Amino acid sequence: MELKRAIVTGASSGIGQAIAKMLETQGYEVFGIGRNFDGGESSMHRMVIDITDTGALVEAIDDIGRNGGIDCMVNCAGEAFYGLSESLDTEQISSMCRVDLEAPMIASCRCLPYLRMSRGMIINIASVTATRINTHGACYGALKAGLLSFGRSLYEEVRKHGVRVVTICPDLTSGTGLYRNASFEADRAEGCSLYPEDVAECVRTCVCMREGAAITEMEIRPQYNRISKK
Ligand SMILES: NC(=O)c1ccc[n+]([C@@H]2O[C@H](COP(=O)([O-])OP(=O)(O)OC[C@H]3O[C@@H](n4cnc5c(N)ncnc54)[C@H](OP(=O)(O)O)[C@@H]3O)[C@@H](O)[C@H]2O)c1
């Protein structure tokens, strides 16, 4: 069987790392993008790229696309600064815009010629904040809402070419670096947060769906609604 090829941004940590590992178990050759990879065991191709470096991002996508094609583009890299809106500085807002929305849109658009050839799939990792009112997360939630909107429209545009676009909206997920800038964290009790592997399992369901059936949106939540102050 021909090896399928996936690009995963944010593959150096948390949810993206779990998705990359899962895709390898499904027989994908994975090209993982991040800035800081640890030395863990993996056959993933590690590509050290800052996704806000647009030139480097599109060059990498074209290089992978031209030399074997792309079957799956997973946009998982993300960044979050929480707090009252007046407490965010302009660099934080601008950086979130670039990492959480601009880069996934650029990567998705750039992949389309290759995905049309493979009848492939784009998977965007948004967040439950995309459909909520987010006190202490107005900017982050707005960007995730933008990513959800982008995915919905893009699917309508490309479905006729056999390309699928999925938006996955996870709730609080522990064991990741996303809350490094937050004053709260997941409660440690079982069931109060998701694991990165739970989100990877959603991705597995999407990529294993038969051609001709498309999951377009998924929300995944922990059973209990509890957070802890740091
Ligand atoms: N954790 C949650 O509760 C949760 C809930 C809903 C949605 N999400 C979403 O899930 C995604 C993954 O987050 P996570 O929780 O797994 O957090 P994480 O452990 O902090 O992972 C974030 C990933 O994004 C990469 N990244 C950030 N900025 C980058 C940049 N400029 N260039 C290249 N890579 C960059 C990081 O790579 P480096 O560190 O190597 O730069 C890292 O691999 C994000 O989109 C996040 O919004 C998370």
Side-chain angles (χ1 to χ4, degrees):
M1 206 180 78
E2 202 186 317
L3 205 60
K4 292 204 164 197
R5 291 155 57 94
I7 302 176
V8 181
T9 71
S12 55
S13 166
I15 295 172
Q17 191 174 52
I19 292 171
K21 275 190 195 153
M22 180 281 300
L23 287 171
E24 285 188 324
T25 68
Q26 296 298 308
Y28 280 79
E29 181 177 8
V30 177
F31 298 81
I33 293 178
R35 292 169 300 183
N36 305 294
F37 288 92
D38 66 20
E41 285 247 325
S42 166
S43 53
M44 167 174 81
H45 305 282
R46 296 169 184 198
M47 308 185 69
V48 177
I49 295 171
D50 183 330
I51 59 170
T52 64
D53 180 347
T54 305
L57 179 65
V58 301
E59 193 183 315
I61 290 170
D62 283 340
D63 191 43
I64 297 163
R66 288 197 196 105
N67 295 296
I70 302 168
D71 299 280
C72 188
M73 174 76 226
V74 183
N75 289 300
C76 185
E79 180 176 76
F81 295 99
Y82 302 96
L84 294 176
S85 298
E86 67 179 48
S87 74
L88 295 185
D89 66 41
T90 50
E91 282 79 21
Q92 290 171 331
I93 297 169
S94 175
S95 180
M96 277 193 289
C97 290
R98 301 205 61 206
V99 174
D100 293 340
L101 187 56
E102 183 188 294
M105 289 197 298
I106 288 172
S108 298
C109 295
R110 196 72 182 194
C111 272
L112 284 174
Y114 309 107
L115 295 174
R116 280 173 66 151
M117 280 190 269
S118 64
R119 300 171 75 79
M121 185 179 290
I122 293 170
I123 298 176
N124 290 323
I125 306 301
S127 157
V128 290
T129 59
T131 54
R132 309 281 198 276
I133 290 169
N134 302 292
T135 49
H136 296 263
C139 292
Y140 174 74
L143 295 165
K144 293 299 188 180
L147 190 60
L148 174 61
S149 168
F150 171 69
R152 285 174 171 166
S153 300
L154 187 64
Y155 176 61
E156 290 309 324
E157 187 184 316
V158 300
R159 58 192 295 189
K160 60 180 170 291
H161 303 302
V163 177
R164 291 178 276 184
V165 184
V166 190
T167 308
I168 297 179
C169 294
D171 201 342
L172 197 78
T173 305
S174 56
T176 87
L178 196 76
Y179 297 101
R180 65 173 74 79
N181 304 312
S183 59
F184 61 92
E185 61 189 356
D187 191 284
R188 285 164 204 266
E190 183 60 26
C192 294
S193 65
L194 300 166
Y195 300 130
E197 291 73 21
D198 298 322
V199 184
E201 181 60 17
C202 293
V203 174
R204 195 186 64 79
T205 303
C206 295
V207 297
C208 291
M209 206 77 189
R210 71 173 174 84
E211 226 184 280
I215 294 168
T216 54
E217 289 169 35
M218 266 187 165
E219 183 171 289
I220 173 166
R221 311 192 68 191
Q223 184 63 40
Y224 306 109
N225 183 18
R226 221 181 293 155
I227 55 169
S228 297
K229 281 229 164 229
K230 277 184 184 167

